Amino acid sequence: MKHLLAATCLAAGLLAIGSPASAAECGDVTIASMNWQSAEVLAALDKLILNEGYGCNAEIIVGDTVPTITSMVEKGQPDLAPEGWVDLLPEVVGRGITEGKLVGAAVALSDGAVQGWWIPKYLADAHPDIKTIQDMLKHPELFPDPEDSSKGAIFNGPAGWGGTVATAQLYKAYEAEKANFTLVDTGSAAGLDGSIAKAYEAKQGWVGYYWAPTALLGRYEMVKLEHGVPYDAAEWKRCNTVADCPDPKPNDWPKDKVQTLLTKSFADRAGPEIMDYLNKRAWTNDTVNKLMAWMTNNQATGEDGAKQFLRENEALWTSWVSPEAAEKVKAAL
């Protein structure tokens, strides 16, 4: 989300570690760390692997989706944006690639950034017939409104989020009011999180808007409801995301593409081994959710999170790097 989240990711490469020119050719590398947890830990992970595994001199700089990607296209800096929410800047990213200023690497979040309506896993397990929004709307009694238990409740995000607008439009599109559901304004991100935590701790029913990757979904296991219809991009743009559109139709929620981006100049000097790493380095929402939950519980930094990931997921990350780089990274932990 990054409230329909922000955009971007693609990285760079270096020559074989056995080559004496490797470190020199990699040289100084600037890595953009966006201002949210998943991007922070991925940037720290790339820094650690590039420095310890491939002899780079990488450093983290603070970034954000729009200014970072725009600067990469127009000024050739920073070198690497590990977590790029490219769907937020499709024209800028497309122009950068077409003009040979940007290179796209791995889709960093392999299953895409996910938004939609979720229910607790314990409820999904107890009611295996509830798989879609349409199934859920048949059972308002399982999702009681805290203000009126005779009705069901669908919890929404705060004003200002794109996901909040889309949820309100889908509430109309699926005729949830006729199904005896109210739409609950949680007022803030904390209010939304609190409603999930309260329901989960009491093992009560809950349904509402949320997104992944997030630390909260690493702490509370949730299941995303299917929408029961295919994604219609034109309809999504026309009405599902327009607050005052009067006639929204049921629609699937699109996934955001989260890709690693690097400047062409960095890609040219990186070399095949680093590029191989950046083209392979990808993880799932489940992996990131659990890692962010650990970071939140331990008040950990991105660097702490990167080291925790490397300690706990050796089979995954060693498949991304050369054997020589893997040994050097292990030695540095």
Side-chain angles (χ1 to χ4, degrees), residues 194-246:
S195 70
I196 294 175
K198 182 179 180 180
Y200 219 96
E201 297 300 337
K203 290 295 183 285
Q204 295 175 341
W206 187 95
V207 62
Y209 170 76
Y210 217 73
W211 69 97
T214 50
L216 186 134
L217 293 190
R219 184 179 309 149
Y220 302 115
E221 199 168 0
M222 305 285 283
V223 174
K224 188 170 114 48
L225 293 171
E226 298 172 12
H227 286 234
V229 295
Y231 172 57
D232 184 332
E235 188 62 27
W236 185 260
K237 182 178 181 180
R238 180 192 75 84
C239 197
N240 293 119
T241 54
V242 178
D244 58 358
C245 181

Side-chain angles (χ1 to χ4, degrees), residues 11 13 28-29 43 98 113 121 129 138 158 201 253 259 270 275 279 285-286 289 291 293 307 323:
D28 295 336
V29 183
T98 299
K121 186 175 184 299
D129 56 312
K138 297 174 185 176
E201 297 300 337
W253 205 305
Q259 189 178 20
M275 290 306 299
N279 283 319
N285 276 286
D286 184 60
N289 289 343
L291 179 58
K307 291 178 178 178

Side-chain angles (χ1 to χ4, degrees), residues 61-270:
I61 65 169
V62 177
D64 208 343
T65 299
V66 174
T68 293
I69 297 177
T70 302
S71 178
M72 291 174 74
V73 173
E74 295 181 353
K75 300 178 181 179
Q77 282 291 329
D79 296 305
L80 177 62
E83 188 174 305
W85 294 74
V86 299
D87 290 334
L88 295 183
L89 284 175
E91 294 181 1
V92 175
V93 173
R95 175 168 57 86
I97 292 174
T98 299
E99 294 177 356
K101 297 176 179 178
L102 279 184
V103 174
V107 175
L109 196 59
S110 60
D111 46 354
V114 180
Q115 300 179 78
W117 294 6
W118 306 69
I119 63 175
K121 186 175 184 299
Y122 56 77
L123 194 144
D125 290 343
H127 300 275
D129 56 312
I130 300 179
K131 297 185 182 301
T132 68
I133 290 176
Q134 295 94 325
D135 296 334
M136 177 273 297
L137 291 173
K138 297 174 185 176
H139 297 283
E141 75 282 359
L142 296 178
F143 307 93
D145 185 333
E147 302 297 327
D148 182 355
S149 60
S150 69
K151 295 184 176 183
I154 297 168
F155 290 83
N156 205 355
W161 288 8
T164 300
V165 172
T167 291
Q169 289 298 84
L170 290 173
Y171 175 83
K172 291 191 290 185
Y174 284 90
E175 298 185 327
E177 186 174 6
K178 288 184 180 179
N180 202 32
F181 278 81
T182 57
L183 187 62
V184 177
D185 179 2
T186 55
S188 66
L192 179 60
D193 288 0
S195 70
I196 294 175
K198 182 179 180 180
Y200 219 96
E201 297 300 337
K203 290 295 183 285
Q204 295 175 341
W206 187 95
V207 62
Y209 170 76
Y210 217 73
W211 69 97
T214 50
L216 186 134
L217 293 190
R219 184 179 309 149
Y220 302 115
E221 199 168 0
M222 305 285 283
V223 174
K224 188 170 114 48
L225 293 171
E226 298 172 12
H227 286 234
V229 295
Y231 172 57
D232 184 332
E235 188 62 27
W236 185 260
K237 182 178 181 180
R238 180 192 75 84
C239 197
N240 293 119
T241 54
V242 178
D244 58 358
C245 181
D247 61 338
K249 307 291 192 300
N251 205 345
D252 199 5
W253 205 305
K255 291 183 179 181
D256 286 300
K257 183 179 181 181
V258 180
Q259 189 178 20
T260 297
L261 299 171
L262 52 149
T263 62
K264 181 64 164 55
S265 62
F266 178 53
D268 287 344
R269 75 173 191 267

